[in-house]
DNA sequence: GCTTTACGTAAAGTTAACTTTACTATAAAA
DNA sequence: TTTTATAGTAAAGTTAACTTTACGTAAAGC
């Protein structure tokens, strides 16, 4: 799965820390998501998409047949 | 969060067991999602939306300010 | 009656999403 | 040169998504 979190964040000129505060998650969570260390929960994915004014499917690119976890 | 999993499944005339097999999850997972016992992972939400030919946002209705978990 | 089908509950286990804290690196700015 | 801002790693803990197994129930068909 690919994500455009970093690109969208940069477009908004936000730091990881600012983003984490808006979303009410830890800065570690943002770092890990941007680096692809794990996948966001559905709720967090939704909040990110809302903030970046796009759909979840626009923010995350799902590549065929991924495992659930 | 609300979900239309059950409605979409019925539209397709699928049983919970059939759906679970297509998605490669347990039947328990389908039951629990339909009953709102917990929220699907992003990947599972995506697979459900794909199967039902709709977007994640169409399949799940997010209500203001939900907690992450 | 008995069997099958579909849906449901309960409980115990695994794993990964997320937190918290502490520490490192680097570039810019004072 | 020292400080500040931003991004990063590491490690240990909590919680919830998901699994597995076993059992319960009600309707439909034989």
């Amino acid at each position: 799965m690919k994500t455009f979190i970093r690109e969208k964040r940069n477009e908004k000129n936000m730091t990881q820390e600012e983003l984490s505060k808006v979303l009410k998650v830890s800065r570690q969570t943002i770092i890990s998501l941007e680096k692809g260390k794990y996948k966001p929960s559905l709720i967090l994915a939704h909040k990110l998409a809302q903030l970046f004014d796009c759909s979840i499917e626009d923010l995350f690119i799902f590549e065929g047949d991924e495992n659930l976890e």
Side-chain angles (χ1 to χ4, degrees), chain A:
Chain A
M1 195 189 74
K2 284 183 184 169
T3 179
F4 296 114
I5 295 175
R6 172 160 307 192
E7 289 83 346
K8 298 274 190 182
R9 176 174 64 82
N10 285 332
E11 282 171 20
K12 285 210 161 227
N13 288 312
M14 296 179 80
T15 67
Q16 292 176 333
E17 191 164 16
E18 285 167 351
L19 181 56
S20 74
K21 282 181 179 160
V22 170
L23 298 172
K24 294 176 186 160
V25 295
S26 69
R27 189 170 60 92
Q28 265 319 302
T29 295
I30 304 300
I31 291 172
S32 299
L33 291 178
E34 287 189 355
K35 295 241 122 190
K37 293 213 171 181
Y38 56 67
K39 297 158 184 166
S41 69
L42 179 56
I43 299 300
L44 183 50
H46 171 69
K47 287 185 178 178
L48 281 159
Q50 252 191 339
L51 180 64
F52 294 142
D53 200 33
C54 65
S55 70
I56 292 177
E57 281 91 347
D58 282 341
L59 191 52
F60 302 95
I61 306 299
F62 302 96
E63 294 148 326
D65 236 68
E66 308 196 37
N67 292 331
L68 287 187
E69 41 217 286

